[in-house]
Amino acid sequence: MEEFTGNIWVLGDDIDTDIIIPTEYLALETIEEMKQYAFSPLRPELAGKITAGDIIVAGKNFGCGSSREQAPEVLKALGIRCIVAKSFARIFFRNSINNGLLLIEQPDLHDHAEEGEEICVRVNREITCGGMTYPIASLPDNLVEILQAGGLVKAMRRRNGLAD
């Protein structure tokens, strides 16, 4: 499986989908137009500072709230490589995987991570950060297939021999 590094943005517990992308911006026509408003109720400057490959490290219950699919789409459009959290809301977890956004549950990293720090993720093995190693669970093969394809629709097209 793959390995990558990225810089950390630290967020707390219960980051809901209204914080990820507030309701009033859902009327915009594209995800590209929406992404500049990500996290605006919590940290208005954050969307403008995130660069491709960055990693969010959060507390528990990330993605709670409504089941809007735009939340993981906006995070992916910002260039977020993956999100590591103590736990995720289940609908957000599945919406993220279906959109090709890697989510990793890890109960201890958030308590030690510092914003701006670089971490190394070895998918299905471990995360290294600040000189410490944090074990992570392996994702089931069907989820890995979806992530590698870039999302559920692309995975099913690939599986059925259809062009992307």
Side-chain angles (χ1 to χ4, degrees):
M1 199 68 202
E2 81 184 291
E3 176 178 321
F4 56 88
T5 59
N7 291 319
I8 298 174
W9 293 101
V10 178
L11 300 172
D13 294 336
D14 303 312
I15 302 298
D16 67 26
T17 55
D18 284 327
I19 290 173
I20 297 169
I21 183 64
T23 306
E24 61 264 30
Y25 302 113
L26 296 177
L28 296 172
E29 288 188 28
T30 68
I31 294 298
E32 282 299 310
E33 290 174 293
M34 290 179 207
K35 74 180 184 181
Q36 65 184 316
Y37 302 105
F39 304 109
S40 58
L42 183 66
R43 293 175 63 180
E45 79 293 346
L46 185 56
K49 292 183 175 183
I50 291 172
T51 60
D54 285 353
I55 296 168
I56 292 174
V57 175
K60 63 181 188 223
N61 205 25
F62 189 92
C64 58
S66 73
S67 61
R68 68 181 61 142
E69 203 163 319
Q70 294 93 335
E73 290 176 327
V74 161
L75 295 173
K76 195 170 176 186
L78 284 170
I80 294 295
R81 181 65 183 87
C82 80
I83 302 169
V84 182
K86 289 185 177 193
S87 65
F88 294 94
R90 293 294 103 192
I91 292 173
F92 178 82
F93 185 88
R94 196 57 207 219
N95 280 342
S96 295
I97 298 295
N98 288 347
N99 281 287
L101 179 62
L102 174 63
L103 302 185
I104 299 171
E105 287 191 349
Q106 208 303 321
D108 304 314
L109 176 62
H110 180 262
D111 297 336
H112 305 282
E114 293 185 28
E115 195 157 284
E117 201 169 20
E118 185 176 88
I119 66 173
C120 179
V121 176
R122 289 175 193 87
V123 179
N124 288 347
R125 290 183 39 217
E126 65 190 15
I127 295 172
T128 305
C129 179
M132 296 181 65
T133 300
Y134 302 88
I136 56 176
S138 291
L139 293 169
D141 291 343
N142 65 318
L143 298 187
V144 170
E145 177 188 1
I146 292 168
L147 289 165
Q148 288 176 334
L152 180 62
V153 171
K154 290 179 182 177
M156 293 303 100
R157 290 183 62 78
R158 200 179 274 179
R159 184 182 280 183
N160 290 304
L162 301 172
D164 282 336

Short mmCIF file of all heavy atoms in Angstrom, two decimals, residues 2-3 7 44 46 49 60 64 67 70 84 86 89-91 96 102 109 112 124 129 136:
data_model
loop_
_atom_site.label_atom_id
_atom_site.label_comp_id
_atom_site.label_asym_id
_atom_site.label_seq_id
_atom_site.Cartn_x
_atom_site.Cartn_y
_atom_site.Cartn_z
N GLU A 2 0.32 2.34 -0.12
CA GLU A 2 1.09 3.55 -0.34
C GLU A 2 1.57 4.23 0.95
O GLU A 2 1.09 3.95 2.05
CB GLU A 2 0.30 4.53 -1.19
CG GLU A 2 -0.74 5.34 -0.46
CD GLU A 2 -1.55 6.21 -1.39
OE1 GLU A 2 -1.01 7.19 -1.94
OE2 GLU A 2 -2.73 5.90 -1.54
N GLU A 3 2.51 5.13 0.76
CA GLU A 3 3.07 5.92 1.85
C GLU A 3 3.15 7.37 1.36
O GLU A 3 3.48 7.63 0.21
CB GLU A 3 4.47 5.40 2.18
CG GLU A 3 5.20 6.18 3.23
CD GLU A 3 6.56 5.58 3.54
OE1 GLU A 3 6.69 4.34 3.59
OE2 GLU A 3 7.50 6.36 3.73
N ASN A 7 1.60 18.03 5.84
CA ASN A 7 1.57 18.92 6.99
C ASN A 7 0.19 18.86 7.65
O ASN A 7 -0.83 18.73 6.97
CB ASN A 7 1.90 20.35 6.58
CG ASN A 7 3.34 20.49 6.16
OD1 ASN A 7 4.23 19.92 6.78
ND2 ASN A 7 3.59 21.20 5.09
N PRO A 44 -12.09 31.12 9.55
CA PRO A 44 -12.33 31.68 8.21
C PRO A 44 -11.11 31.68 7.30
O PRO A 44 -11.26 31.62 6.08
CB PRO A 44 -12.79 33.11 8.50
CG PRO A 44 -13.28 33.09 9.89
CD PRO A 44 -12.49 32.04 10.61
N LEU A 46 -8.73 29.35 7.17
CA LEU A 46 -8.16 28.01 6.98
C LEU A 46 -8.17 27.55 5.53
O LEU A 46 -7.15 27.07 5.02
CB LEU A 46 -8.86 26.98 7.88
CG LEU A 46 -8.27 25.57 7.86
CD1 LEU A 46 -6.80 25.57 8.21
CD2 LEU A 46 -9.06 24.68 8.80
N LYS A 49 -5.34 28.68 3.47
CA LYS A 49 -4.00 28.27 3.88
C LYS A 49 -3.68 26.81 3.56
O LYS A 49 -2.52 26.42 3.53
CB LYS A 49 -3.82 28.50 5.38
CG LYS A 49 -3.78 29.96 5.76
CD LYS A 49 -3.53 30.13 7.24
CE LYS A 49 -3.37 31.59 7.61
NZ LYS A 49 -3.04 31.75 9.03
N LYS A 60 -12.82 13.52 18.04
CA LYS A 60 -13.86 12.52 17.82
C LYS A 60 -15.04 13.10 17.04
O LYS A 60 -15.27 14.30 17.03
CB LYS A 60 -14.33 11.94 19.15
CG LYS A 60 -14.96 12.94 20.06
CD LYS A 60 -15.37 12.28 21.38
CE LYS A 60 -16.15 13.23 22.14
NZ LYS A 60 -16.44 13.77 23.14
N CYS A 64 -19.89 14.88 11.73
CA CYS A 64 -21.26 14.68 12.22
C CYS A 64 -22.19 15.71 11.59
O CYS A 64 -21.75 16.62 10.90
CB CYS A 64 -21.30 14.77 13.75
SG CYS A 64 -20.68 16.34 14.42
N SER A 67 -25.93 14.71 6.10
CA SER A 67 -25.22 13.75 5.26
C SER A 67 -24.76 14.34 3.94
O SER A 67 -24.48 13.62 3.00
CB SER A 67 -26.12 12.54 4.99
OG SER A 67 -27.29 12.96 4.30
N GLN A 70 -21.36 17.20 -0.26
CA GLN A 70 -20.44 18.28 -0.59
C GLN A 70 -19.31 18.41 0.43
O GLN A 70 -18.24 18.91 0.09
CB GLN A 70 -21.18 19.62 -0.70
CG GLN A 70 -22.16 19.69 -1.83
CD GLN A 70 -23.57 19.30 -1.41
OE1 GLN A 70 -23.77 18.56 -0.45
NE2 GLN A 70 -24.56 19.79 -2.13
N VAL A 84 -7.20 12.18 9.63
CA VAL A 84 -6.97 11.24 10.72
C VAL A 84 -7.74 11.78 11.91
O VAL A 84 -7.51 12.92 12.32
CB VAL A 84 -5.47 11.12 11.07
CG1 VAL A 84 -5.26 10.10 12.18
CG2 VAL A 84 -4.64 10.76 9.84
N LYS A 86 -10.03 10.70 15.78
CA LYS A 86 -10.34 9.70 16.81
C LYS A 86 -11.53 8.86 16.37
O LYS A 86 -11.57 7.66 16.60
CB LYS A 86 -10.63 10.37 18.15
CG LYS A 86 -9.41 10.96 18.79
CD LYS A 86 -9.72 11.50 20.17
CE LYS A 86 -8.44 12.01 20.81
NZ LYS A 86 -8.61 12.27 22.24
N ALA A 89 -18.22 10.36 11.97
CA ALA A 89 -19.63 10.06 11.80
C ALA A 89 -19.71 9.05 10.65
O ALA A 89 -19.02 9.19 9.65
CB ALA A 89 -20.41 11.33 11.47
N ARG A 90 -20.54 8.05 10.81
CA ARG A 90 -20.58 6.94 9.84
C ARG A 90 -20.97 7.38 8.44
O ARG A 90 -20.38 6.92 7.46
CB ARG A 90 -21.53 5.84 10.32
CG ARG A 90 -21.04 5.12 11.57
CD ARG A 90 -19.77 4.33 11.33
NE ARG A 90 -18.60 5.04 11.87
CZ ARG A 90 -17.35 4.73 11.63
NH1 ARG A 90 -17.02 3.73 10.87
NH2 ARG A 90 -16.36 5.43 12.15
N ILE A 91 -21.98 8.24 8.30
CA ILE A 91 -22.39 8.65 6.95
C ILE A 91 -21.27 9.45 6.29
O ILE A 91 -20.97 9.27 5.12
CB ILE A 91 -23.71 9.45 6.99
CG1 ILE A 91 -24.86 8.53 7.40
CG2 ILE A 91 -24.00 10.10 5.64
CD1 ILE A 91 -26.17 9.24 7.62
N SER A 96 -17.13 9.98 2.25
CA SER A 96 -15.74 10.31 1.95
C SER A 96 -15.08 9.21 1.12
O SER A 96 -14.44 9.50 0.10
CB SER A 96 -14.96 10.55 3.24
OG SER A 96 -15.46 11.68 3.90
N LEU A 102 -9.45 9.53 1.68
CA LEU A 102 -8.99 8.58 2.69
C LEU A 102 -9.26 9.12 4.10
O LEU A 102 -8.87 10.24 4.43
CB LEU A 102 -7.50 8.31 2.52
CG LEU A 102 -6.81 7.44 3.57
CD1 LEU A 102 -7.39 6.03 3.60
CD2 LEU A 102 -5.31 7.40 3.32
N LEU A 109 -3.24 10.02 18.13
CA LEU A 109 -2.46 11.04 17.42
C LEU A 109 -2.92 12.45 17.75
O LEU A 109 -2.09 13.33 18.01
CB LEU A 109 -2.53 10.80 15.91
CG LEU A 109 -1.84 11.86 15.04
CD1 LEU A 109 -0.34 11.92 15.33
CD2 LEU A 109 -2.10 11.59 13.57
N HIS A 112 -1.37 14.44 20.59
CA HIS A 112 0.06 14.75 20.54
C HIS A 112 0.47 15.60 19.33
O HIS A 112 1.56 16.15 19.32
CB HIS A 112 0.88 13.46 20.54
CG HIS A 112 0.57 12.56 21.69
ND1 HIS A 112 1.06 12.78 22.96
CD2 HIS A 112 -0.21 11.47 21.78
CE1 HIS A 112 0.60 11.85 23.77
NE2 HIS A 112 -0.18 11.04 23.08
N ASN A 124 -2.64 1.45 5.95
CA ASN A 124 -2.87 0.11 6.48
C ASN A 124 -1.78 -0.37 7.43
O ASN A 124 -1.78 -1.54 7.80
CB ASN A 124 -3.08 -0.92 5.36
CG ASN A 124 -4.41 -0.76 4.68
OD1 ASN A 124 -5.29 -0.06 5.16
ND2 ASN A 124 -4.58 -1.41 3.56
N CYS A 129 4.76 10.58 13.61
CA CYS A 129 4.62 12.01 13.85
C CYS A 129 5.38 12.37 15.12
O CYS A 129 5.21 11.72 16.15
CB CYS A 129 3.14 12.36 14.00
SG CYS A 129 2.82 14.10 14.34
N ILE A 136 -2.27 1.93 12.90
CA ILE A 136 -3.60 2.14 12.31
C ILE A 136 -4.11 0.81 11.76
O ILE A 136 -3.33 -0.05 11.36
CB ILE A 136 -3.60 3.23 11.21
CG1 ILE A 136 -2.59 2.93 10.11
CG2 ILE A 136 -3.34 4.60 11.82
CD1 ILE A 136 -2.61 3.91 8.95
#
